[in-house]
Amino acid sequence: MAVEENTDPDRHDRLVAAASTALAAVKAGEGAGVVGGLAEAASGSEEGKIDARELMLLLFGECSTMVAALGQGGTTPVKMQVYDDDGHEVPIDEADPPVRTAVRTLLAEVHGDTDAASEQIEIALRNAGPEEMASLMVQALRWTIKLSAECTSRDLPVPEWIAEALA
């Protein structure tokens, strides 16, 4: 069952504000409470699920844009690696479920398949508990932070709202 779209005209601004707050908190090492609250909302009402899905798609979409910039518009490959808790690289299928979902969502976005990205998030919303949702959100936030730092170091564009949140 797909999560319904919300037609609130201020929705995007609220999502950007929530993502900005979460980015700043995670960067400062204080993201547990913010992310936990977002994950709890995602496991509650339909509106909370819609917000969580749209928030994650916003972050993964921005990450995709930054990956494209780092890959010089697709002319230079960008390698994605997944590591276990001990720092060893693992195949995606052996990663924890939230990490697998994050990688698949980002890959779908990078390849321009927003529907597949949305489907990955919807599967997580249906099947994951609050801890797994929090882990998925943290992954999206961390990647956003790391990709924006890498883009900045190479003088590549970073979405203004992300740059402001991380300043």
Side-chain angles (χ1 to χ4, degrees), residues 121-133:
I121 300 298
E122 286 187 33
I123 291 168
L125 286 168
R126 278 194 307 268
N127 300 318
E131 283 185 26
E132 287 180 315
M133 287 306 301

Side-chain angles (χ1 to χ4, degrees), residues 46-130:
E46 270 309 295
E47 188 171 332
K49 289 179 182 182
I50 293 168
D51 288 346
R53 183 191 73 194
E54 295 303 319
L55 179 78
M56 286 186 280
L57 287 174
L58 171 68
L59 291 168
F60 283 118
E62 298 291 16
C63 284
S64 171
T65 300
M66 290 185 282
V67 166
L70 289 165
Q72 299 176 359
T75 61
T76 304
V78 175
K79 183 178 180 182
M80 291 186 67
Q81 298 170 289
V82 177
Y83 296 93
D84 63 16
D85 292 336
D86 297 323
H88 299 97
E89 187 173 355
V90 295
I92 184 176
D93 292 330
E94 293 177 21
D96 292 334
V99 175
R100 285 195 310 259
T101 299
V103 170
R104 289 178 178 142
T105 302
L106 181 57
L107 287 173
E109 284 285 353
V110 166
H111 292 285
D113 193 346
T114 303
D115 290 340
S118 183
E119 184 177 319
Q120 289 295 317
I121 300 298
E122 286 187 33
I123 291 168
L125 286 168
R126 278 194 307 268
N127 300 318

Side-chain angles (χ1 to χ4, degrees), residues 19-45:
S20 295
T21 299
L23 281 169
V26 168
K27 183 181 179 205
E30 302 167 358
V34 171
V35 172
L38 292 171
E40 285 294 326
S43 65
S45 70

